[in-house]
Amino acid sequence: IPLIFMDDIINGYRTVFPVPLAQGCTFDPDLVQQGARIAAKEAAASGVHVTFSPMADTVWDARWGRVMESTGEDAYLNGLMASAMVKGYQGDLQEKGTIAACLKHFAGYGAPEAGRDYHNVELSPRTLKEDYLPAYKASIDAGVAMVMTSFNTLDRIPSTANKWLMRNILRDEMGFSGALISDWAAVGELVPHGVAEDFAHAAQLAIEAGVDMDMASPAYARNLKKLVEEGKVDEKLIDESCMRMLELKNKLGLFENPFRDAAKEDEEALLLCDAHRKAAQHCAEKSFVLLKNEEALLPLASEKENVAFIGPYVDNRFTCGSWAIFSDDQDAIPLKEALEAQENAAFLSFAPGSRVMGPGMEVHGFQKAIPEETLDEEKALAEAVAMAKKADKVVLALGEHREFTGEAASRGTLTLPPCQQRLLDEAAKVNQNIIVVLFCGRPMDLRNVADKAKAILVAWLPGTEGGPALARTLYGHCAPEGKLSMAFPWSVAQLPLHYNQLSTGRPYGGDYRAARFGSKYQDLPNRPLYPFGFGLTYTSFTYSPVTLSASSLQKDAAITASVTVENTGARPGTETVQLYIR
């Protein structure tokens, strides 16, 4: 019986695409499918059979670090994107260069209390079915080969032991017949959850719930045989799980060829090839979101405009995200390198200005930390401010450390690190033309950024080709097209936050300092700073009034809504037309 090799290929293998949250901002499932297809080709050539992707969790709380792995706050959009990823990874699983996809995390993992990873989840049955399950179902309908259980509890029962969730909902209602794997050590974690007294009991609960494979914990390997012999576990359950794993291996053709598509010559031809790099750059360009552009500060003029590029992300190769585990940071092209290749490089100046993190902001448990200890903070700040004072415009490349998003990266503070905010404040004192390019894996609190910057471009963690994509976008060779797939909050105190919240009996839509008895805060607005679906570009569009093909909707009938969109600006552009219904 052949081995099956699985791993986390989240936003690319060696050629890294933008993080999934950024891919959600493209609103383009075909583009996302292409990225998954490229990741599959590279991974298959390297011997991987299964990827633990897509993550279809709906996310409403930016404190949770794993929002970077989701495609956003809307279940419909997430379903489209997760389905596209499944099709990209798997194809029909028979053709060369495909791998099996594993849908995660079932279910509700994206709604932990207080945004704290692995925490309890409280969802009403209706909220679960309307706002979370549809995205998972879209992946299952697309033919996903595997599903992964989530770490969290749901209805106070850990998912890995939740028979109702795994058998009644996943198997019976959703019709999933593939293999079900636990998340890392989740079977053994039933003991600290408090529902199992030891690993043997944990193994019994998980196999009865329908979990076919125990990833990483020893609970199954050490106990299932004995549990069957003691009559505590029906042997038919073992047969079911074995059959599902054997069927997956058979679909992958591993019995005929246990090495499948692994080939050194294919690795050399595919990994980081020009076509894959070009596709990653194109995806990055489509994912950037322009939040602000006063006085049309962007795009930059291509000739004789003195621009100072300042900030810790100007010359930074750590732009692939915390889950790009097969990437080599040296393969990523930083912004500075891409800009220096332009013809107008003589008019550009560069300075770090600050560290990514300041004192007291250590990242624990990671070896890929950004080396910052050699930077003299005060000297770097002084040099940057002097450079900003002489420039026509200042582009500040700021953002989070990449390890501040991802698994186990929940945060209660979503503002820029103090050292970077200080750099922005000081640069704004000597130059009014401030443009911020923001590198991040989650929505952030940008109030103190929006007050100082005339333009804000969210670059996310853009991957291997982030630098060239940004250089082209900043200088208008292409225009930003992204729309936020997750809102940027006005304050972290608003979280969790999403655009399609139910109305209350006392809805509120006015000045938060007036109208006392509405559903509101006394000291901040209900609205986010930048809402779901928001994104500017370098031109302007007008919409005609919406016309409907009928004035009422009958059962089993359809209404067509039509609108005419006109580019009223001086530059070409792409508009994503969004229809909201209630």
Side-chain angles (χ1 to χ4, degrees):
I1 297 175
L3 288 171
I4 188 167
F5 290 89
M6 315 180 195
D7 224 315
D8 291 282
I9 300 155
I10 306 303
N11 52 304
Y13 188 73
R14 278 294 297 277
T15 307
V16 182
F17 283 66
V19 293
L21 188 61
Q23 293 187 40
C25 295
T26 69
F27 278 61
D28 189 343
D30 291 338
L31 187 65
V32 171
Q33 182 172 334
Q34 180 191 28
R37 185 74 185 91
I38 287 171
K41 285 182 179 180
E42 294 191 356
S46 301
V48 177
H49 304 141
V50 178
T51 174
F52 299 132
S53 174
M55 180 175 124
D57 300 330
T58 300
V59 291
W60 293 344
D61 196 332
R63 293 174 296 181
W64 190 50
R66 295 194 84 164
V67 301
M68 60 86 73
E69 275 187 82
S70 171
T71 49
E73 69 181 64
D74 182 76
Y76 175 68
L77 178 64
N78 290 347
L80 292 176
M81 295 305 192
S83 176
M85 289 183 190
V86 170
K87 294 172 184 176
Y89 290 131
Q90 293 190 170
D92 61 5
L93 278 185
Q94 302 303 310
E95 60 186 305
K96 182 178 179 179
T98 57
I99 59 178
C102 178
L103 169 68
K104 62 186 188 184
H105 308 82
F106 199 77
Y109 185 46
E113 288 183 355
R116 201 176 80 218
D117 210 353
Y118 318 121
H119 203 4
N120 183 43
V121 168
E122 286 289 348
L123 294 173
S124 71
R126 182 161 182 169
T127 299
L128 175 68
K129 290 194 173 186
E130 290 196 1
D131 296 325
Y132 288 83
L133 296 186
Y136 303 123
K137 182 64 163 60
S139 299
I140 292 168
D141 291 344
V144 71
M146 293 190 76
V147 171
M148 180 187 293
T149 68
S150 57
F151 283 122
N152 56 279
T153 59
L154 192 65
D155 197 25
R156 302 197 179 190
I157 302 170
S159 294
T160 309
N162 194 326
K163 189 181 298 185
W164 168 82
L165 183 63
M166 299 305 167
R167 294 194 179 274
N168 295 16
I169 301 299
L170 180 64
R171 298 290 187 193
D172 297 341
E173 289 191 19
M174 291 189 169
F176 177 67
S177 59
L180 179 63
I181 187 172
S182 79
D183 206 337
W184 183 275
V187 174
E189 289 173 8
L190 294 176
V191 176
H193 264 299
V195 300
E197 62 179 339
D198 53 26
F199 275 7
H201 189 201
Q204 179 181 347
L205 292 175
I207 197 74
E208 288 175 350
V211 178
D212 300 316
M213 179 179 282
D214 174 4
M215 191 210 301
S217 95
Y220 274 18
R222 293 179 183 175
N223 296 287
L224 279 181
K225 181 175 182 290
K226 183 179 179 181
L227 287 168
V228 171
E229 292 170 345
E230 293 175 347
K232 294 180 179 179
V233 167
D234 190 332
E235 190 171 341
K236 290 181 180 179
L237 297 180
I238 311 298
D239 292 341
E240 286 179 7
S241 293
C242 285
M243 179 59 74
R244 282 192 281 262
M245 294 308 303
L246 292 170
E247 286 174 343
L248 175 59
K249 294 180 179 186
N250 192 46
K251 287 179 182 178
L252 288 167
L254 297 181
F255 287 98
E256 291 77 19
N257 179 9
F259 301 103
R260 192 166 160 87
D261 298 330
K264 186 173 180 61
E265 57 273 20
D266 288 340
E267 273 193 306
E268 293 173 351
L270 290 171
L271 271 58
L272 291 166
C273 68
D274 289 343
H276 291 182
R277 279 184 174 271
K278 184 176 180 180
Q281 178 180 321
H282 180 66
C283 185
E285 291 170 358
K286 298 286 186 180
S287 71
F288 299 151
V289 183
L290 183 63
L291 298 182
K292 185 177 182 181
N293 195 21
E294 291 181 0
E295 302 175 18
L297 222 56
L298 289 175
L300 301 169
S302 58
E303 296 180 359
K304 296 183 179 179
E305 186 173 64
N306 291 305
V307 183
F309 287 86
I310 297 170
Y313 271 100
V314 166
D315 192 16
N316 194 318
R317 297 180 187 272
F318 295 85
T319 56
C320 291
S322 60
W323 272 116
I325 59 177
F326 292 101
S327 68
D328 186 333
D329 295 322
Q330 296 308 307
D331 295 328
I333 302 174
L335 178 58
K336 181 182 178 182
E337 183 176 320
L339 291 167
E340 287 179 330
Q342 295 184 161
E343 294 181 359
N344 64 331
F347 297 97
L348 311 180
S349 54
F350 305 94
S354 81
R355 302 177 182 182
V356 175
M357 303 181 297
M361 299 191 72
E362 297 83 3
V363 177
H364 300 288
F366 296 96
Q367 295 179 350
K368 285 188 172 183
I370 298 173
E372 301 182 308
E373 63 276 2
T374 60
L375 185 71
D376 185 326
E377 194 80 17
E378 295 303 321
K379 182 180 178 182
L381 178 63
E383 290 175 351
V385 172
M387 187 179 292
K389 191 173 183 179
K390 297 176 182 178
D392 297 319
K393 296 177 181 177
V394 177
V395 176
L396 289 174
L398 310 174
E400 294 182 299
H401 190 292
R402 68 167 174 201
E403 300 295 356
F404 278 9
T405 57
E407 186 171 351
S410 300
R411 293 185 59 77
T413 303
L414 302 184
T415 53
L416 284 176
C419 60
Q420 293 188 45
Q421 185 65 49
R422 182 187 176 200
L423 172 61
L424 171 58
D425 294 344
E426 294 302 314
K429 290 177 182 178
V430 299
N431 194 314
Q432 295 184 349
N433 294 323
I434 300 291
I435 299 161
V436 168
V437 177
L438 186 70
F439 292 79
C440 57
R442 57 150 59 88
M444 298 181 67
D445 179 346
L446 297 183
R447 281 174 293 164
N448 292 332
V449 175
D451 287 346
K452 302 289 192 310
K454 288 184 178 179
I456 302 173
L457 180 69
V458 181
W460 306 106
L461 291 168
T464 305
E465 296 294 313
L470 273 171
R472 279 176 41 82
T473 303
L474 290 170
Y475 278 92
H477 302 299
C478 59
E481 296 182 15
K483 305 288 186 182
L484 290 180
S485 61
M486 188 176 185
F488 276 58
W490 197 89
S491 166
V492 71
Q494 296 171 313
L495 300 175
L497 179 71
H498 54 107
Y499 80 88
N500 53 359
Q501 293 175 327
L502 291 177
S503 182
T504 72
R506 293 190 175 186
Y508 179 75
D511 186 344
Y512 66 94
R513 289 157 293 196
R516 179 178 180 85
F517 296 104
S519 178
K520 66 178 182 65
Y521 303 98
Q522 288 191 329
D523 53 351
L524 65 150
N526 290 359
R527 67 181 186 278
L529 187 62
Y530 299 105
F532 175 89
F534 181 79
L536 306 173
T537 188
Y538 292 157
T539 187
S540 56
F541 297 93
T542 59
Y543 285 66
S544 70
V546 178
T547 59
L548 301 179
S549 60
S551 59
S552 62
L553 180 63
Q554 305 301 318
K555 186 177 181 181
D556 299 325
I559 288 180
T560 300
S562 302
V563 65
T564 299
V565 182
E566 181 182 359
N567 184 346
T568 55
R571 304 176 64 93
T574 298
E575 175 75 342
T576 297
V577 181
Q578 304 163 51
L579 173 66
Y580 295 80
I581 59 175
R582 186 160 66 109

